[in-house]
Amino acid sequence: MANDKPNQPQDESRRRFLKYSGTALGGVVLGGVIGGLVGSNLKQTEKETAPEPGKSGTAPEDRDYNQALMFFSQDQFLTAEAAAERLFPKDDLGPGAKELGVAFFIDHQMVSQYGYNARDYMLPPYYKAEETQGYQLIFKRRELIALGLDALNQYSNTKYQKPFVEITPEDQDAVLTAFEKNDTSIKDFPASNFFAMFLNLTLEGAYADPLYGGNRNMAGWKMRNFPGNQMSYTEYVDKDEFVKLDPLSLHDHLELG
């Protein structure tokens, strides 16, 4: 009967060969400097290379992985960020749209059911809507916002010979006002439709739950003393005085649970 037990001395020798030949090969490929370090690196002790207890080898970075583009091009995002900041600017009361991450909120909405008009009836026949009926266009919201942001740059380039993000804040206000008052036009729909929708999205991004990309660090809520998504108010409803609560997001409930 054959011996099923592995030959341990042979395996150990094979491991050492793979370890050191792989290291040496890396030195050859990457150049003489790294190759020259192979010997000294192999001589380092575990005590010298191991991180301190409770710490990783590299310092952790503070990253918000929710702040990522899903729909906008880079130019559209920067235009949205600049336009939102003029509609919701930073002041003595708190941060503006840029610091709150409002443009990320708008970007994320464009890839949601809202951006695709998933719950709206979008089939013909189409009729001209009354002004009081609000948004009644054949364009999906994501299409309207993208076309509107491109139009902001086209209008700015025509009038000021610079894209929207490079003109002065006063000129940016003038461009946005032209869109609000329909002093310019966008292909196949009124500029005011874009302005009204973008304004609403800006306000939503400033005050929505941070889960959706805006209201960074719940700073929008903190400006308003809004408690956010609390689990319950039963211990406060009978109190006569105003109770100021630290806001909680939906993410906080996940951590608490």
Side-chain angles (χ1 to χ4, degrees), residues 60-168:
E61 296 183 16
D62 184 14
R63 295 182 180 179
D64 185 351
Y65 290 95
N66 202 26
Q67 307 290 295
L69 295 184
M70 300 180 181
F71 173 70
F72 288 148
S73 67
Q74 188 69 19
D75 287 341
Q76 288 171 339
F77 171 78
L78 293 175
T79 302
E81 190 174 58
E85 181 67 20
R86 295 312 304 155
L87 297 174
F88 196 97
K90 180 178 181 179
D91 58 19
D92 295 338
L93 298 177
K98 182 176 181 178
E99 191 174 343
L100 290 170
V102 166
F104 285 109
F105 168 84
I106 298 174
D107 171 79
H108 294 182
Q109 289 298 300
M110 296 302 101
V111 294
S112 71
Q113 289 188 340
Y114 173 85
Y116 281 97
N117 294 67
R119 298 184 180 182
D120 297 343
Y121 184 83
M122 300 289 290
L123 299 177
Y126 304 112
Y127 300 98
K128 184 178 180 179
E130 299 294 334
E131 292 185 4
T132 55
Q133 291 182 282
Y135 179 77
Q136 297 287 328
L137 299 175
I138 63 174
F139 290 96
K140 293 181 175 65
R141 294 184 184 92
R142 67 203 312 262
E143 297 168 341
L144 187 149
I145 292 297
L147 289 171
L149 292 173
D150 292 341
L152 282 178
N153 276 319
Q154 293 169 5
Y155 184 90
S156 178
N157 278 316
T158 299
K159 188 168 183 177
Y160 302 102
Q161 291 74 54
K162 292 180 180 180
F164 184 83
V165 296
E166 295 182 12
I167 61 178
T168 66

